[in-house]
Amino acid sequence: MSRAPERLAAALALAACGCHGVALQRHEIARQPIAFIFHSESEARERAEAHARLALPGTSRTRGEPSVLHLNSLRDHLEAALGLRDADPIPGRLALLDPRSGRVTPLASAQRGAIPLAWSADRDRLLFAQRDRGTLQLFELDLESQVVSQRTIGPDHHPQGCYGPDGRLVVVIAKRAPRGSTPTARASLVSQLALMHADGSFAAISPGPMDGDPSCSSDGASVAYARSFARADSEIWLHSFELGRPEHALAPGREPAFSPDGEWIAYTRSEKIPPTLWRIRRDGSGRSRLGWGSGSAEYGPAFSPDGALVVYESQAGDRYRLSVRRFDGTGDSVLLADGDGTHAVW
């Protein structure tokens, strides 16, 4: 007797429960820790209440918009640092998450509000950004000694970066735009990517005026980044450090993240609401949605060290959960259920 009706019933049941494939098993999750911004459950509730108050009649926020106090993008962080928008009233802690056990270890050597950015190739150092005398600068934490060293200094902001060719830093340089130099009030900042030399000097590698979200390939040969425009959504661009390979646009989106083998880039596509995760090959082929999620807004993808999984933040109302799914788009699972998690770096 044919088993087709049974298979169809099973498929319909699977779709109805929202499982989107076989459930993710614990043994599939890489053991390496995830660096992220952590808000405890009580902090997350208090933060959500602050966000909700902004949705009341007579305030500037309209219902259905993302929480404006969630500093998700480069522009958000810079505008808060420059006093152009409200900062997060309850800054989170830089912490490490054990993805199998769910154990959270805050890093006391970093300030509240510090933002994780990238692991070094051998994963013994963590690059992060935090405030320094009024500007956002890059710092590096040695995991074994817990010693923090400062990698950049002002007067410009250096809010983002990654490990590029020969371990040198690819850095975002950002500043307030000169008065009258931008066409809209919203375009009040300028930023571009630069390669940092051993002597601390920089060589620009992107044109600006609003470039950020750099992700360096594991071989250091390329960097993917988001280029924003005054009246349009941002685009993912690819810059190669190899001579004769011009940089080029890949797809609409932001928050690109290279896979460990350097073949794929996961990113956030946000020109439609809610934002969703997408993927594209380094050569521009294979663009497709990365899973179908549950209808919540999805931000900040980052690959597991083995490339099999993608961690991301899922927004539900005014809460932000760290979740994970397979790179084939199946097996969604919440990694952190107690408290909020954002800006994951695996």
Side-chain angles (χ1 to χ4, degrees), residues 44-275:
R45 287 197 301 268
E46 185 177 349
R47 194 162 171 255
E49 290 169 1
H51 292 176
R53 286 194 291 272
L54 296 176
L56 297 174
T59 61
S60 59
R61 181 184 168 197
T62 59
R63 294 186 183 277
E65 290 181 345
S67 300
V68 296
L69 294 183
H70 176 47
L71 306 183
N72 184 270
S73 70
L74 167 64
R75 185 185 292 278
D76 291 341
H77 283 286
L78 287 176
E79 288 186 347
L82 291 170
L84 300 175
R85 62 164 288 168
D86 291 333
D88 193 327
I90 308 173
R93 294 181 182 273
L94 179 58
L96 298 181
L97 172 68
D98 182 325
R100 290 197 175 184
S101 69
R103 180 183 178 186
V104 175
T105 305
L107 298 175
S109 50
Q111 300 173 10
R112 271 193 175 269
I115 310 161
L117 298 171
W119 291 100
S120 62
D122 50 13
R123 294 186 63 86
D124 63 352
R125 289 165 292 142
L126 175 65
L127 188 68
F128 66 96
Q130 66 182 12
R131 297 291 293 271
D132 175 60
R133 290 173 288 185
T135 59
L136 284 169
Q137 300 298 333
L138 299 183
F139 294 78
E140 197 174 53
L141 171 66
D142 183 291
L143 267 294
E144 182 176 358
S145 67
Q146 291 295 295
V147 171
V148 172
S149 57
Q150 187 164 351
R151 298 299 309 272
T152 63
I153 58 174
D156 295 334
H157 291 270
H158 302 103
Q160 294 178 323
C162 58
Y163 293 96
D166 305 317
R168 289 182 288 167
L169 293 183
V170 172
V171 175
V172 172
I173 302 175
K175 64 185 75 175
R176 189 188 292 265
R179 186 177 298 275
S181 65
T182 56
T184 66
R186 179 64 172 159
S188 55
L189 305 166
V190 291
S191 64
Q192 64 182 147
L193 272 61
L195 181 64
M196 187 174 181
H197 298 308
D199 62 1
S201 62
F202 298 100
I205 60 174
S206 79
M210 196 63 198
D211 302 336
D213 295 343
S215 176
C216 298
S217 60
S218 57
D219 60 7
S222 302
V223 57
Y225 69 95
R227 179 178 294 179
S228 299
F229 303 93
R231 300 183 183 279
D233 194 55
S234 45
E235 290 181 342
I236 306 298
W237 281 66
L238 186 68
H239 175 88
S240 175
F241 293 103
E242 300 176 13
L243 293 176
R245 293 190 176 223
E247 66 174 27
H248 57 279
L250 290 175
R254 59 187 176 94
E255 300 176 324
F258 260 111
S259 62
D261 63 8
E263 293 300 313
W264 287 91
I265 296 168
Y267 61 96
T268 303
R269 189 168 176 178
S270 55
E271 76 274 19
K272 295 182 179 181
I273 301 296

Side-chain angles (χ1 to χ4, degrees), residues 300-316:
F303 281 90
S304 60
D306 59 8
L309 306 175
V310 172
V311 63
Y312 64 97
E313 59 186 83
S314 175
Q315 178 188 352

Side-chain angles (χ1 to χ4, degrees), residues 47 51 66-68 70 299 313-322 336 339-342:
R47 194 162 171 255
H51 292 176
S67 300
V68 296
H70 176 47
Y299 300 101
E313 59 186 83
S314 175
Q315 178 188 352
D318 289 304
R319 298 296 301 271
Y320 299 85
R321 303 294 192 187
L322 277 193
L336 182 69
D340 281 9
T342 61

Side-chain angles (χ1 to χ4, degrees), residues 264-265 267 278-281 283-289 327:
W264 287 91
I265 296 168
Y267 61 96
W278 286 64
R279 61 183 181 182
I280 192 170
R281 286 192 176 91
D283 62 8
S285 65
R287 182 170 63 177
S288 61
R289 187 165 172 179
F327 183 57

